[in-house]
Amino acid sequence: MSLSPTVTVAEGTVRGAASVLEGREVSRFLGIPYAGSSSGARRFLPPVPPVGWTGVRDATVPGPAAPQNPELPAPPGRKPRTWRESDCLNLNVWTPEADGSGLPVMVWVHGGAYVSGSGSDAMYDGGNLAGATGTVVVTINYRLGALGFLHLADLLGAEYADSSNVALLDVLEALRWVQRNIAAFGGDPDNVALFGESAGAAAVGTLLGMPASQGLFRRAIMQSGTAERYRRPEDSSRISREFLSLCGLDDARDLLTLPVERLLEAQEKLVQRFGAQTFAVPLPFQPTVGTPSLPVPPLEAVRSGLNSEVDLLIGTNLNEGSFAVEMRPKNPFDPSHAERAATLLADAGVPGREAEYARALASALGAEPSGKQLLEAAISDAVYRQPSNRLLEARHGSTGRTFSYLFTWRSPAMGGKLGACHALDIPFVFRQLASAESDFLTRGTAPQGLSDMMSTAWAGLARTGQPAAPGLPVWPAYWPGRGTMVLDEQPRVEVDPRGELREVFERKPAPAPLH
């Protein structure tokens, strides 16, 4: 075993480290820049290619994360992240065959509501996944919050026409780096699978609708994501002016030189404002459509055939909304759970359907739902599951294959109150069930067999376009019959699970009576 493997990429030579994982030697190369500095004159502007270096660059420690506020309270096991604006556009590579060739490549986009996260978080360590499945695993950082999504076209002019999408342009730049360099790590640049969870999956869903993404990835996997997380320019401009006010500024040009710490202070105030206005997940920062890089809503672009040839696996967890319900601070002024659910359903485009929705949920549960169950399901459907279903619908007739899953293994945390909660699937995919970050949710009880099957199936999609694993039933394409893999200790295929709830969202409102 070479303990200090070296690889030469287009920009220079990097030295990594190696260890035996899942019975195979895996080399890791951390903190490699895939783009130039995003600070100073490049703040709010699209990424540029990285500057090369001479000599051998150390790649044994992670690079800095994108600027962000600490998560409060921080999830158990989460270590504080080190961030820097200047060189946050970096990535990590794990390869089981640094001197090999033709391995499938899996590129991970982390979640964090577009305001936090890092590709170097312990739960995203790609070593076990690479070692067990024979894939090259890449995790990336991209700009977050205001630095990645603030819409400045109206305030600063045409040069900043895409400032609200630079986070996504960062991901595209990382994919271009993969195209140039991944063969040096044993990967196949023509067989790249882009995958992510939560905001990371929303980034994947949005990229499916971005013309510049064509040809940069062959497969895609979306875990708890959507192709509908965007705003119109007028809404993005309103939020930008609110943000400017929170910074205490009158002239938007001062944003270009404001210390990043001041930007983060204003960002946190904006997040808190949005949190007070929603019973679900506050999402103040989102991409903007009607811009050069994202001319039309991603779902419309997909429906029109953009990236139709990409194979797609998309799914959600059964209880996506449980964190928002169980972790929300108690407030005596909050309306009842049922009233909150009604508000969420109305905001999601099904106003006045709360009784119909409650009946459909009772049918799915086999019992009358409690107020908490009703609210949790409404969050899950409004924010995650029904947008996923609409993307599945938009893919009907695509040339690429489309697969669906529903993850239902329940976390024992908090006495089981969280159920199959948001993000619980991540340690199963990355084979990180024993990591400190996973332990709060898994409590040492997670079935290893399910992790083996999921990681192998994800790699199977990356390798051939067909998710498959020993012990897993044959995974059918979603169309024509809405076949869906239910991922639990004993996986099974179901046709249109929770279809009653999907139908509530799909039914058109009854026409208003004539007077």
Side-chain angles (χ1 to χ4, degrees):
M1 175 192 297
S2 172
L3 296 178
S4 301
T6 58
V7 166
T8 299
V9 297
E11 294 78 28
T13 300
V14 290
R15 176 183 290 112
S19 53
V20 174
L21 298 168
E22 301 285 344
R24 190 191 313 230
E25 180 181 332
V26 175
S27 299
R28 63 186 179 276
F29 301 86
L30 311 179
I32 306 173
Y34 68 80
S37 174
S38 56
S39 64
R42 298 304 306 174
R43 181 181 281 181
F44 303 121
L45 292 176
V48 292
V51 176
W53 58 87
T54 57
V56 179
R57 183 187 183 100
D58 179 67
T60 60
V61 294
Q68 57 193 276
N69 290 300
E71 296 170 87
L72 298 173
R78 174 70 47 78
K79 294 182 179 179
R81 302 184 181 105
T82 299
W83 57 260
R84 275 198 306 274
E85 184 181 7
S86 59
D87 53 350
C88 63
L89 301 184
N90 58 75
L91 52 75
N92 307 314
V93 181
W94 290 265
T95 175
E97 295 179 28
D99 55 353
S101 64
L103 297 180
V105 182
M106 303 179 72
V107 180
W108 174 257
V109 188
H110 70 77
Y114 283 150
V115 295
S116 65
S118 166
S120 297
D121 285 356
M123 205 186 298
Y124 311 145
D125 185 305
N128 290 345
L129 179 59
T133 64
T135 55
V136 178
V137 178
V138 180
T139 66
I140 69 172
N141 289 335
Y142 56 95
R143 279 173 280 184
L144 301 169
L147 292 167
F149 296 96
L150 200 62
H151 187 62
L152 298 172
D154 298 336
L155 295 172
L156 294 179
E159 185 182 4
Y160 294 88
D162 258 328
S163 66
S164 52
N165 299 329
V166 293
L168 300 170
L169 299 180
D170 291 344
V171 179
L172 289 175
E173 193 66 26
L175 288 169
R176 294 187 188 100
W177 185 96
V178 167
Q179 290 293 309
R180 293 195 305 271
N181 291 311
I182 209 64
F185 298 88
D188 181 355
D190 295 322
N191 197 14
V192 174
L194 184 64
F195 71 135
E197 186 268 348
S198 195
V204 175
T206 307
L207 261 63
L208 284 171
M210 292 180 73
S213 72
Q214 290 182 286
L216 292 179
F217 54 95
R218 188 174 180 183
R219 336 268 189 205
I221 302 173
M222 295 171 58
Q223 302 170 216
S224 307
T226 164
E228 300 175 29
R229 196 165 293 177
Y230 65 85
R231 289 198 176 92
R232 301 284 180 177
E234 56 271 21
D235 294 325
S236 294
S237 291
R238 174 181 51 78
I239 291 170
S240 295
R241 289 186 170 87
E242 183 178 356
F243 184 82
L244 191 67
S245 175
L246 289 171
C247 288
L249 301 176
D250 296 318
D251 186 346
R253 296 209 71 82
D254 290 337
L255 289 169
L256 303 178
T257 55
L258 194 70
V260 69
E261 291 80 6
R262 289 271 306 281
L263 289 174
L264 291 176
E265 288 173 11
Q267 181 171 303
E268 182 58 25
K269 292 176 183 176
L270 190 63
V271 169
Q272 293 301 325
R273 282 188 182 180
F274 271 72
Q277 297 166 7
T278 181
F279 302 119
V281 184
L283 298 167
F285 298 102
Q286 300 183 34
T288 302
V289 300
T291 46
S293 62
L294 192 59
V296 301
L299 196 66
E300 290 183 20
V302 170
R303 195 176 286 123
S304 298
L306 187 65
N307 280 313
S308 171
E309 71 286 355
V310 170
D311 298 318
L312 175 67
L313 169 62
I314 181 170
T316 61
N317 297 354
L318 183 63
N319 305 113
E320 297 277 9
S322 60
F323 277 123
V325 174
E326 297 295 339
M327 301 298 200
R328 183 181 176 88
K330 293 190 183 301
N331 184 338
F333 300 105
D334 272 348
S336 70
H337 291 108
E339 290 170 321
R340 286 182 245 173
T343 298
L344 279 162
L345 293 170
D347 290 345
V350 284
R353 299 278 185 87
E354 54 267 24
E356 182 183 351
Y357 183 82
R359 288 193 297 272
L361 182 59
S363 174
L365 295 175
E368 288 298 314
S370 66
K372 274 190 173 183
Q373 285 176 310
L374 185 65
L375 177 58
E376 186 280 312
I379 295 171
S380 295
D381 276 318
V383 181
Y384 302 101
R385 187 162 301 114
Q386 300 315 323
S388 295
N389 281 334
R390 288 190 287 269
L391 179 54
L392 287 164
E393 294 284 345
R395 291 270 301 181
H396 199 180
S398 63
T399 54
R401 287 168 284 190
T402 304
F403 302 92
S404 171
Y405 74 85
L406 179 63
F407 181 89
T408 60
W409 185 81
R410 299 179 63 86
S411 166
M414 298 179 63
K417 290 181 181 179
L418 295 177
C421 59
H422 190 65
L424 182 58
D425 51 317
I426 297 172
F428 285 83
V429 170
F430 276 88
R431 302 173 81 101
Q432 293 290 342
L433 298 180
S435 75
E437 285 187 327
S438 308
D439 188 63
F440 169 71
L441 294 177
T442 60
R443 299 297 172 90
T445 66
Q448 183 64 48
L450 179 57
S451 177
D452 294 347
M453 284 186 277
M454 288 178 65
S455 56
T456 302
W458 264 230
L461 183 95
R463 179 171 280 106
T464 68
Q466 172 69 47
L472 197 66
V474 174
W475 200 317
Y478 185 73
W479 295 108
R482 299 187 194 277
T484 299
M485 185 67 69
V486 177
L487 293 166
D488 210 324
E489 198 154 1
Q490 295 296 327
R492 63 190 185 279
V493 174
E494 286 190 16
V495 173
D496 195 17
R498 292 204 160 193
E500 313 97 313
L501 300 171
R502 176 185 56 77
E503 291 171 354
V504 171
F505 277 77
E506 287 186 353
R507 264 183 227 114
K508 298 196 180 299
L514 298 175
H515 295 290

